[in-house]
Amino acid sequence: MDFKKYCKQHRPSSKAEEFLRYIGPGLLITVGFIDPGNWASNLAAGADYGYLLLWMVTLSTIMLIILQHNAAHLGIATGLCLSEAATAYLPKWLSRPILLSAVLASVATALAEILGGAIALQLLFGLPLWLGSILMAALCSWLLRSNSYSKLEKIIIGFVSLIGLSFLAEIVMVPLDWSAAARGWVTPSIPQGSLLVIMSVLGAVVMPHNLYLHSEVIQSRHWNLEDEAIIKRQLDFEFLDTLLSMSIGWAINSAMILVAAAVFFANKVQVSDLAQAVDMLRPLLGNNAAVLFAVALLFAGISSTATAGMAGASVYAGIFGEGYDVQDPHSWHGVLLTYWLAVLVILFIDDPFQGLIYSQMALSVQLPWTIGILIYLTSSKKVMGKFANSLRLKITLCVIGAIVIALNIMLLLEAVGAVSF
């Protein structure tokens, strides 16, 4: 049979080809919630509570899919990222404090990513954390400055693939209680003293900087803002991209908790830092598991540090009414601000593992403000025109916002000792 003729007869459909062209923005967001901060949160969840907190990954991912699609919806329909839209349509007294807090959230995110990458470099090569942090920030500054978005997207997708394969290999190596895992995924449970970990898992999955980033990078696909039919079709493709990418993130985050539950919780081993986790994996699962863990952590650190820099730059540039362009001074200054403020904070951190946990909790505290302006902007006909949120979507988004606010209030009450959850 003629090979060329065979290929022509078995080409994918035009819709499949078009969908494949739009895969990418969602995977960039996936990187943001399989970062080293997630590793710390998920390891703490699995090591301390076994399979009981898997439900939070499920709930967070469902909320994430809805929120990320809504943020991308804004970018597609208006051609503006969330930061630009907030600057254009909200009064400065409201938009500026929220956007500046979003910049700080990007710094907190970058702190976790850079610190996680530095821990990986220490595990693999024995570098001190301060030196590894500087190298991570310098490397990712160079990656953003020297690569076009399309090249960077391919690099990050490659990193995500390696991280996923690493954890699939880890799951094969450990004895899992699948019935307990199945119950954990769908049964809400808040064990005593677990709220900090629950909030860190929430902040590690539903991350405010990712909402800004998604509304920005989705525009790399050059939407036609004049043709309603095209916008509707691209919204459908974007939703499929988001659903696929967030599902991959759910699987990887779940795998982290599963490994921690099977290895650490089952053996009654306390985990207080990522380096300790690798040292304990080595005798329990063999040297290959420890090396896989460290290499995957490094890949996660590099890729998520890059996306955190893009997000910080997008938010910062949006304050000046500009979109992300790393060659533009405002975007480049946003990258530098995000990375080097994070490095400065890292130099004063005594307990890296707790630093990772608290950085993720800080994201969940900022999250209600970002969700609030997102709902307002995407529900406004002045901003979105015919593509404003439906009543059902508004209610769904408000319920998500209410859940996040309620969890924050519970955390605050526990922190001041008023209530014990």
Side-chain angles (χ1 to χ4, degrees), residues 401-421:
I403 291 172
V404 174
I405 292 170
L407 288 171
N408 273 287
I409 292 172
M410 290 169 65
L411 180 65
L412 177 63
L413 292 174
E414 186 176 81
V416 298
V419 180
S420 179
F421 293 97

Side-chain angles (χ1 to χ4, degrees), residues 92-403:
K92 285 185 179 180
W93 64 265
L94 179 61
S95 66
R96 287 292 171 85
I98 293 176
L99 294 179
L100 288 173
S101 72
V103 171
L104 292 178
S106 298
V107 172
T109 303
L111 183 152
E113 335 295 34
I114 292 171
L115 186 55
I119 292 171
L121 290 173
Q122 186 179 63
L123 294 171
L124 292 169
F125 307 110
L127 297 180
L129 287 180
W130 67 267
L131 179 58
S133 298
I134 292 172
L135 290 175
M136 283 288 297
L139 171 64
C140 291
S141 296
W142 173 79
L143 277 175
L144 290 182
R145 186 70 169 178
S146 62
N147 285 274
S148 67
Y149 168 78
S150 58
K151 290 180 181 178
L152 189 64
E153 188 178 86
K154 292 180 176 67
I155 292 171
I156 290 174
I157 289 173
F159 281 150
V160 172
S161 301
L162 288 169
I163 295 166
L165 290 172
S166 297
F167 271 100
L168 285 175
E170 294 274 11
I171 282 183
V172 171
M173 296 177 184
V174 299
L176 294 175
D177 184 344
W178 286 108
S179 62
R183 290 193 299 272
W185 270 313
V186 297
T187 307
S189 174
I190 305 179
Q192 186 172 0
S194 66
L195 199 58
L196 173 60
V197 176
I198 287 174
M199 290 300 291
S200 70
V201 171
L202 171 66
V205 175
V206 187
M207 307 173 82
H209 82 288
N210 270 341
L211 296 173
Y212 291 92
L213 181 62
H214 205 169
S215 63
E216 177 69 61
V217 298
I218 197 69
Q219 297 173 55
S220 68
R221 295 304 189 256
H222 305 298
W223 313 104
N224 181 339
L225 300 178
E226 304 302 322
D227 191 322
E228 289 185 13
I230 290 178
I231 291 176
K232 288 178 181 177
R233 187 167 75 251
Q234 307 310 345
L235 282 170
D236 291 339
F237 283 122
E238 178 279 320
F239 180 73
L240 291 174
D241 175 43
T242 298
L243 184 62
L244 171 65
S245 301
M246 303 307 110
S247 298
I248 292 171
W250 170 85
I252 296 175
N253 272 301
S254 294
M256 294 179 193
I257 295 180
L258 291 173
V259 170
V263 175
F264 304 129
F265 183 78
N267 291 281
K268 296 181 172 57
V269 177
Q270 290 288 320
V271 178
S272 59
D273 64 71
L274 290 177
Q276 177 194 358
V278 173
D279 288 339
M280 288 184 295
L281 277 171
R282 190 173 286 113
L284 290 169
L285 299 178
N287 192 60
N288 290 337
V291 172
L292 274 174
F293 185 92
V295 171
L297 180 61
L298 179 60
F299 285 136
I302 293 171
S303 54
S304 57
T305 299
T307 58
M310 292 174 67
S314 173
V315 178
Y316 187 77
I319 294 173
F320 299 93
E322 299 172 359
Y324 173 78
D325 177 3
V326 77
Q327 303 304 323
D328 179 82
H330 288 132
S331 292
W332 178 235
H333 294 162
V335 171
L336 298 179
L337 183 70
T338 302
Y339 286 162
W340 297 103
L341 269 181
V343 170
L344 183 64
V345 175
I346 287 171
L347 296 178
F348 294 95
I349 289 178
D350 293 325
D351 186 338
F353 191 75
Q354 286 300 312
L356 290 172
I357 296 290
Y358 279 102
S359 71
Q360 303 308 291
M361 187 202 72
L363 298 182
S364 71
V365 173
Q366 197 282 335
L367 188 59
W369 302 100
T370 293
I371 292 176
I373 63 169
L374 176 65
I375 295 172
Y376 173 79
L377 291 169
T378 55
S379 299
S380 169
K381 291 189 179 296
K382 179 181 177 182
V383 178
M384 302 290 290
K386 294 181 179 179
F387 296 98
N389 293 334
S390 65
L391 178 60
R392 183 173 65 178
L393 182 55
K394 285 181 195 176
I395 293 172
T396 302
L397 290 167
C398 287
V399 169
I400 291 172
I403 291 172

Side-chain angles (χ1 to χ4, degrees), residues 20 47 260 418:
L20 290 174

